[in-house]
């Protein structure tokens, strides 16, 4: 298991040690309950969906075998060849999904439209990943894409559309899976009415979404045995049907049967592909859920267990139907031998519930990535596992999905119509993944553009045929994912657009450093004891909120820190690289900058230790600045440049110790420190406040006669300011479009973006800022 620090272990694919193998086998077992539930329940409805409509006029043994041949090669080429052997290799430090591919592209080429990025971000250990070290000169194709902003905007829109289609899958998967499973009750002698089936399906769906708050880990452990029993059951039933009904069905593996199928069915056979493609629904979850498991564990589970079971089951259904053509409408349940019908029905119902889990989990991952990269409003993200990094739960998204799923279930009440919508959503996501993978092959793997073109043409030819058949069914339910995706994409694009405009306003209205220097170290006002943390999205310069505060209030804190919490297009940032510290003005001003960096996979924990980490980081910076002249050379600069360093660069000195005392116990202990020189020279005393159980840290300076007096004075001011208290200062912003703006822009900013800002989590809540210490300054942004 991964350490509680939250960072994945070092990647070493060639490591075949027993601990590594056993860990992957455990994760492979868990993945069966999360990743493969949807894919493994597809046999419930594939044949019945494919042969609905006019194809029932072409029913014959040859068409049944041709349909199986199509299913076999579709399973082999897309989930096995494309995803297992190719796409899973394009993980972003273990994270998968549409935005992981986009993040990789943004780091290897200048495709990003996200603001707030710095050259220092490229020095992160997780920034250059995979083959990045083998980068070669910029190609003309790369320069062409980087030069045209419209093309980069199109790329972002494509990525957002793919992410929205995954969310659409999260709505449709539970509806079709649960309805298909309970439909088995209509095959029995005591048939339930449609209304009774609908009520039962809705009850199951509500229970499924209510389970999500327990987290992926607990749900996976509970669900994995169900999927294992299910796969073994359908494998056994399929094998029985092959032997009992038509052993010659094995010959249908030959692609010649596909040619015969289209020769007999013609255009009707092409339309039937919209139903046959349901055999690979849930495949995208293998990549989107990668952050919850590992690539090796997913490969092991699919290649050696899921794939063989599905092939044998589809083969068995084809063998049964080839001799029982009138049983196609309920092919799965009719093909089950009567003695084992009820056990298989119970397992099928439970498996359909599990099948919905895969895409719900993938939806949480996608929304978290969109949020971290500035493309989704702030939502509550709960990290549900202390050991497996990346397993999350988002309450707001969970309940929105539940409401939409119930609406689809009650509105359609027909698995064929929902299947039309479902197939279109799944194939669109795969189509977009193929397009992004071609760019990954060129810009991340640095392979030939001809190799990328061959990959693109091969898989787009296959998926394009399926997608064209799915689009034919837009009037028969296929419009649902398009509407859902359009709504979510508008939300994402509006949020991203408003965020960029707000940042550009801050960027163009920064406070002049000459004006600050002209005020003098006192800033022309009274400097009161304490530390003022001024939050801003700016990574450089002084935000306009500061001048707004200074000109309206007669006092400011003795120590000022401009804090910027930003997301970096990497999956995670290690704790020792999280803080960047710099000085804004010359030393007497006591003004610093702290940039706190998080990856799109990081979850900001409310551990209550941010203030102490900040003080320690500033102390480290002060000490390093005194020891290394290149950092102090910019402190008197008039252009606002600052020396930014990472705390990981601080030299360790194991000769000094930190004295730790706890007041309620009255004991003290000395521990050997591996931190920086300044951290080791600060003595920390921890006082436990029993009613609140909040740790209080107090810093002291040792009597070191060799310390620079100016450094000692600055450190003492920092410690005294910490003792006096810390205030958090944020802008309470109102974003409005300029009067000269077009109607479309005013509608986007004044109505849509403002609505989203008012109804999402506030920045102070998202940043875990204590309400009692918060000072908000009203600001109007005209963008």
């Amino acid at each position: 298991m991964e350490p509680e620090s939250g960072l994945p272990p070092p990647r070493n694919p060639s490591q075949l040690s027993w601990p590594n193998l056993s860990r992957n086998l455990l994760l492979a077992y868990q993945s069966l309950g999360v990743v493969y539930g949807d894919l493994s329940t597809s046999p419930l409805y594939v044949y019945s969906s494919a042969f609905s409509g006019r194809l029932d006029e072409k029913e014959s043994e040859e068409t049944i075998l041709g349909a199986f041949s199509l299913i076999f090669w579709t399973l082999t080429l897309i989930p096995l060849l494309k995803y297992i052997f190719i796409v899973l290799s394009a993980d972003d430090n273990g994270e998968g999904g549409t935005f992981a591919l986009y993040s990789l592209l943004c780091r290897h080429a200048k495709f990003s439209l996200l603001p707030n990025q710095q050259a220092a971000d490229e020095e992160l250990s997780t920034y250059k990943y995979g083959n990045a070290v083998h980068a070669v000169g910029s190609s003309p194709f790369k320069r062409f894409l980087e030069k045209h902003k419209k093309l980069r905007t199109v790329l972002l829109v494509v990525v957002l559309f793919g992410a929205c289609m995954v969310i659409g899958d999260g709505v449709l998967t539970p509806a079709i899976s649960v309805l298909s499973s309970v439909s088995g009750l209509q095959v029995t002698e005591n048939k339930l009415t449609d209304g009774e089936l609908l009520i039962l399906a809705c009850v199951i769906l509500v229970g499924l979404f209510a389970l999500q708050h327990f987290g992926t880990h607990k749900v996976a452990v509970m669900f994995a045995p169900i999927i294992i029993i299910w796969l073994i059951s359908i494998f056994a039933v399929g094998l029985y049907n092959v032997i009992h009904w038509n052993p010659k069905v094995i010959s249908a593996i030959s692609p010649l049967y596909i040619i015969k199928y289209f020769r007999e069915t013609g255009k009707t056979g092409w339309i039937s592909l919209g139903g046959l493609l349901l055999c690979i629904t849930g495949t995208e979850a293998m990549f989107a859920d990668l952050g919850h498991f590992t690539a090796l564990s997913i490969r092991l589970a699919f290649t050696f267990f899921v794939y063989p079971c599905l092939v044998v089951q589809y083969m068995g259904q084809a063998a049964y139907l080839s001799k029982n053509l009138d049983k196609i409408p309920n092919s799965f349940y009719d093909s089950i031998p009567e003695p084992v019908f009820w056990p298989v029905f119970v397992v099928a119902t439970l498996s359909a519930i599990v099948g919905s889990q895969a895409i719900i989990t993938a939806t949480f991952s996608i929304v978290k990535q969109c949020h971290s990269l500035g493309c989704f409003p702030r939502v509550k993200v709960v990290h549900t596992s202390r050991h497996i990094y990346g397993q999350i739960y988002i309450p707001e998204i969970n309940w929105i999905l539940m409401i939409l799923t119930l609406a689809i279930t009650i509105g359609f009440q027909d698995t064929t119509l929902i299947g039309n919508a479902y197939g279109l959503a799944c194939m669109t996501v795969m189509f977009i993944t193929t397009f992004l993978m071609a760019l990954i092959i060129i810009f991340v793997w640095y392979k030939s553009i001809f190799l990328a073109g061959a990959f693109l043409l091969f898989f787009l030819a296959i998926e394009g045929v399926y997608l064209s058949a799915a689009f034919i069914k837009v009037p028969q339910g296929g419009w649902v994912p398009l509407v859902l995706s359009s709504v979510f994409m508008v939300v994402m694009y509006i949020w991203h657009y408003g965020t960029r405009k707000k940042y550009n306003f801050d960027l163009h209205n920064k406070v002049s450093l000459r004006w600050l220097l002209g005020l003098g170290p006192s800033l022309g006002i009274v400097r009161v004891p304490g530390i003022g943390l001024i939050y801003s999205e700016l990574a450089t310069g002084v935000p306009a909120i500061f001048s707004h505060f200074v000109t309206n209030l007669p006092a400011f804190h003795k120590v000022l820190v401009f804090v910027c919490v930003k997301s970096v297009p990497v999956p995670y940032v290690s704790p020792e690289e999280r803080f960047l510290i710099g000085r804004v003005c010359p030393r007497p001003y006591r003004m610093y900058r702290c940039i706190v960096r998080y990856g799109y996979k990081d979850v900001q924990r409310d551990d209550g230790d941010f203030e102490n980490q900040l003080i320690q980081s500033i102390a480290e910076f002060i000490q390093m600045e005194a020891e290394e002249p290149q950092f102090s050379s910019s402190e008197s600069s008039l252009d606002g440049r600052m020396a930014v360093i990472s705390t990981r660069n601080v030299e360790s000195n194991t000769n000094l110790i930190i004295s730790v005392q706890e007041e309620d116990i009255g004991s003290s202990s000395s521990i050997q420190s591996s931190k920086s020189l300044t951290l080791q020279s600060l003595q920390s005393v921890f006082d436990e406040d029993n009613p609140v159980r909040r740790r209080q840290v107090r810093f002291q300076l040792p009597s070191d006669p060799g310390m620079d007096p100016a450094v000692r004075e600055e450190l003492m001011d920092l410690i005294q300011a910490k003792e006096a208290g810390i205030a958090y200062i944020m802008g309470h912003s109102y974003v409005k479009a300029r009067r000269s703006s077009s109607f479309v822009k005013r509608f986007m900013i004044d109505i849509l973006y403002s609505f989203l800002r008012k109804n999402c989590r506030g920045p102070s809540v998202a940043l875990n800022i204590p309400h009692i210490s918060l000072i908000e300054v009203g600001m109007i942004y005209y963008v």
Side-chain angles (χ1 to χ4, degrees):
M1 287 296 179
E2 294 170 9
E4 292 187 8
S5 62
L7 290 179
R11 296 174 54 86
N12 188 0
S14 62
Q15 185 180 4
L16 297 178
S17 63
W18 171 245
N20 184 58
L21 181 60
S22 61
R23 174 178 177 273
N24 279 285
L25 288 174
L26 176 61
L27 289 175
Y29 164 78
Q30 291 184 4
S31 72
L32 291 170
V34 175
V35 177
Y36 297 109
D38 184 16
L39 187 62
S40 65
T41 53
S42 295
L44 287 169
Y45 44 77
V46 170
Y47 281 107
S48 59
S49 297
F51 282 90
S52 63
R54 296 181 181 178
L55 194 62
D56 56 4
E57 302 173 0
K58 306 283 186 179
E59 292 173 359
S60 66
E61 183 174 345
E62 289 294 324
T63 57
I64 296 294
L65 298 184
F68 165 69
S69 185
L70 275 168
I71 291 172
F72 171 78
W73 284 105
T74 304
L75 279 172
T76 303
L77 293 176
I78 296 182
L80 186 63
L81 177 61
K82 175 186 167 184
Y83 278 87
I84 292 298
F85 291 109
I86 300 177
V87 175
L88 284 181
S89 300
D91 65 303
D92 184 7
N93 289 273
E95 186 72 10
T98 307
F99 262 87
L101 297 179
Y102 180 66
S103 174
L104 278 174
L105 289 172
C106 289
R107 298 211 306 271
H108 290 78
K110 298 177 182 179
F111 294 158
S112 177
L113 295 174
L114 303 173
N116 234 1
Q117 303 305 313
Q118 299 172 284
D121 298 337
E122 299 179 10
E123 299 175 3
L124 290 168
S125 57
T126 52
Y127 196 93
K128 293 183 178 180
Y129 174 71
N131 295 331
V133 293
H134 304 297
V136 293
S138 179
S139 65
F141 182 48
K142 179 180 178 181
R143 291 194 298 269
F144 175 76
L145 292 177
E146 291 177 342
K147 180 180 178 181
H148 294 82
K149 184 178 179 181
K150 290 183 179 180
L151 293 177
R152 291 183 283 134
T153 303
V154 169
L155 178 62
L156 177 63
V157 170
V158 169
V159 170
L160 291 180
F161 189 68
C164 292
M165 277 294 183
V166 174
I167 299 175
D169 283 351
V171 174
L172 296 167
T173 301
I176 190 172
S177 298
V178 173
L179 272 179
S180 298
S181 65
V182 298
S183 66
L185 293 175
Q186 291 187 320
V187 181
T188 61
E189 296 180 1
N190 300 321
K191 294 183 178 179
L192 294 181
T193 65
D194 292 339
E196 291 170 338
L197 281 178
L198 183 63
I199 293 174
L200 178 60
C202 291
V203 170
I204 293 174
L205 288 171
V206 171
L208 171 67
F209 283 100
L211 283 175
Q212 297 303 314
H213 74 278
F214 288 109
T216 305
H217 176 71
K218 295 179 181 178
V219 171
V221 172
M222 181 173 61
F223 282 171
I226 297 174
I227 295 299
I228 291 175
I229 296 172
W230 164 252
L231 286 169
I232 293 174
S233 300
I234 63 175
F235 176 84
V237 170
L239 189 61
Y240 167 81
N241 285 330
V242 169
I243 297 172
H244 181 73
W245 291 103
N246 189 1
K248 295 181 180 178
V249 73
I250 298 177
S251 63
I253 292 176
S254 169
L256 293 176
Y257 280 82
I258 298 177
I259 300 174
K260 295 179 182 179
Y261 177 81
F262 286 114
R263 185 181 298 164
E264 289 191 19
T265 59
K267 181 180 178 181
T268 308
W270 167 63
I271 296 175
S272 72
L273 293 177
L276 289 173
L277 67 84
L278 295 178
C279 69
I280 54 174
T281 54
T283 299
E284 187 69 23
M286 287 195 295
F287 187 47
D289 281 337
L290 184 57
H292 298 252
F293 305 99
T294 63
L296 178 58
S297 64
I298 291 177
R299 286 185 171 119
L300 289 173
F302 182 81
T303 306
F304 296 104
F305 190 54
V306 179
Y307 176 75
C309 291
L310 288 177
V311 169
V312 172
Q313 165 57 28
Y314 285 117
M315 186 185 298
Q317 274 198 62
Y320 174 80
L321 292 176
S322 65
K323 304 300 181 182
N324 300 273
L325 296 176
D326 59 323
K327 301 294 186 179
I328 287 177
N330 289 297
S331 60
F332 176 79
Y333 284 112
D334 284 331
S335 68
I336 300 174
E338 188 173 346
V340 296
F341 174 84
W342 284 108
V344 173
F345 169 76
V346 172
V347 177
T349 304
L350 294 175
S351 300
I353 298 172
V354 178
S356 308
Q357 175 67 36
I359 203 64
I360 294 173
T361 305
T363 302
F364 292 155
S365 298
I366 286 289
V367 170
K368 172 63 173 65
Q369 292 173 18
C370 295
H371 164 253
S372 299
L373 296 178
C375 295
F376 203 87
R378 290 179 292 268
V379 291
K380 181 179 182 180
V381 178
V382 181
H383 196 188
T384 58
S385 175
R386 291 172 58 88
H387 303 286
I388 302 176
Y389 203 74
Q391 296 193 355
I392 58 174
Y393 164 68
I394 303 177
E396 295 94 330
I397 300 301
N398 185 61
W399 303 125
I400 290 174
L401 290 179
M402 186 189 77
I403 293 171
L404 292 175
T405 300
L406 291 175
I408 294 295
T409 305
I410 297 171
F412 284 101
Q413 304 181 24
D414 185 356
T415 55
T416 300
L417 293 177
I418 300 176
N420 293 339
Y422 189 28
L424 177 60
C426 292
M427 193 51 63
T428 302
V429 175
M430 294 179 186
F431 199 81
I432 291 173
T433 299
T434 300
F435 169 71
L436 294 177
M437 273 302 304
L439 297 179
I440 290 290
I441 292 173
I442 299 173
F443 300 120
V444 179
W445 293 352
Y446 302 103
K447 302 295 183 181
S448 167
I449 193 171
F450 298 105
L451 180 63
F455 170 86
L456 189 66
L457 291 176
F458 179 75
F459 286 106
L460 284 191
I462 299 172
E463 295 166 355
V465 174
Y466 277 111
L467 191 61
S468 63
F471 267 109
I472 292 295
K473 299 186 177 182
V474 167
Q476 292 83 38
W479 56 270
V480 173
L482 296 177
V483 172
L484 289 174
S485 300
S486 298
V487 171
F488 278 105
M489 191 172 72
V490 167
V491 170
M492 289 184 180
Y493 189 79
I494 291 296
W495 185 261
H496 182 73
Y497 178 79
T499 301
R500 282 194 294 119
K501 290 297 182 181
K502 183 174 178 293
Y503 178 80
N504 289 333
F505 178 90
D506 272 333
L507 194 64
H508 295 120
N509 291 273
K510 292 189 296 185
V511 176
S512 169
L513 200 64
R514 291 181 180 274
W515 177 75
L516 272 182
L517 295 173
L519 295 177
S522 68
L523 300 180
I525 56 177
V526 177
R527 300 294 291 270
V528 298
I531 297 178
L533 302 183
I534 306 169
Y535 279 79
S536 168
E537 295 179 358
L538 284 179
T540 59
V542 178
I545 179 182
F546 179 73
S547 63
H548 194 64
F549 201 120
V550 168
T551 54
N552 287 276
L553 290 177
F556 224 112
H557 299 86
K558 190 172 185 178
V559 175
L560 297 176
V561 184
F562 295 94
V563 181
C564 171
V565 179
K566 72 171 188 176
S567 293
V568 186
V570 297
Y572 58 85
V573 178
S574 59
E576 61 268 19
E577 295 179 305
R578 194 169 310 283
F579 291 96
L580 292 178
I581 305 294
R583 192 185 294 279
V584 177
C585 286
R587 178 173 290 172
Y589 286 71
R590 302 295 191 255
M591 297 172 65
Y592 311 94
R593 182 183 309 283
C594 173
I595 299 176
V596 190
R597 302 178 294 182
Y598 289 96
Y600 59 79
K601 189 178 173 182
D602 281 323
V603 177
Q604 300 181 26
R605 293 183 176 87
D606 185 13
D607 52 12
D609 204 36
F610 172 74
E611 298 174 357
N612 301 322
Q613 293 176 359
L614 179 62
I615 300 303
Q616 292 171 355
S617 298
I618 294 175
E620 289 177 349
F621 169 76
I622 294 172
Q623 185 75 10
M624 173 173 279
E625 187 185 49
E627 295 174 355
E628 301 185 26
Q630 66 267 28
F631 290 108
S632 60
S633 62
S634 65
E635 82 174 322
S636 59
S637 175
L638 300 180
D639 59 3
R641 293 177 183 173
M642 60 180 184
V644 183
I645 61 170
S646 172
T647 55
R648 65 174 176 163
N649 296 327
V650 181
E651 293 291 337
S652 297
N653 188 339
T654 58
N655 296 325
L656 298 179
I657 59 174
I658 299 176
S659 177
V660 181
Q661 297 180 353
E662 297 188 14
E663 188 176 82
D664 57 338
I665 300 177
S667 62
S668 64
S669 61
S670 297
I671 58 174
Q672 193 76 8
S673 172
S674 62
K675 301 292 184 181
S676 68
L677 179 63
T678 304
L679 281 179
Q680 297 156 11
S681 67
L682 295 174
Q683 299 177 358
S684 303
V685 179
F686 300 87
D687 300 322
E688 289 289 342
D689 188 354
N690 292 326
V692 183
R693 303 297 298 171
R694 180 178 176 84
R695 188 178 71 169
Q696 295 182 352
V697 180
R698 301 182 63 184
F699 300 102
Q700 296 177 351
L701 282 177
S703 56
D704 182 6
M707 182 179 292
D708 187 334
V711 172
R712 173 178 288 275
E713 179 185 358
E714 188 170 7
L715 289 174
M716 189 59 67
D717 285 346
L718 181 65
I719 294 172
Q720 290 174 354
K722 167 65 169 61
E723 294 294 325
I726 296 179
Y728 297 79
I729 303 162
M730 300 190 69
H732 190 79
S733 57
Y734 298 89
V735 183
K736 294 184 179 181
R738 294 189 182 95
R739 293 183 179 180
S740 59
S741 302
S742 64
F743 171 78
V744 175
K745 183 177 179 180
R746 290 201 306 270
F747 179 75
M748 291 175 64
I749 296 296
D750 294 345
I751 298 178
L752 298 180
Y753 183 70
S754 295
F755 175 80
L756 292 176
R757 281 182 63 86
K758 291 176 182 177
N759 290 277
C760 71
R761 292 169 65 86
S764 60
V765 178
L767 296 172
N768 301 316
I769 293 176
H771 181 71
I772 195 171
S773 304
L774 176 63
I775 301 174
E776 289 190 303
V777 182
M779 284 284 295
I780 298 179
Y781 289 77
Y782 288 101
V783 298

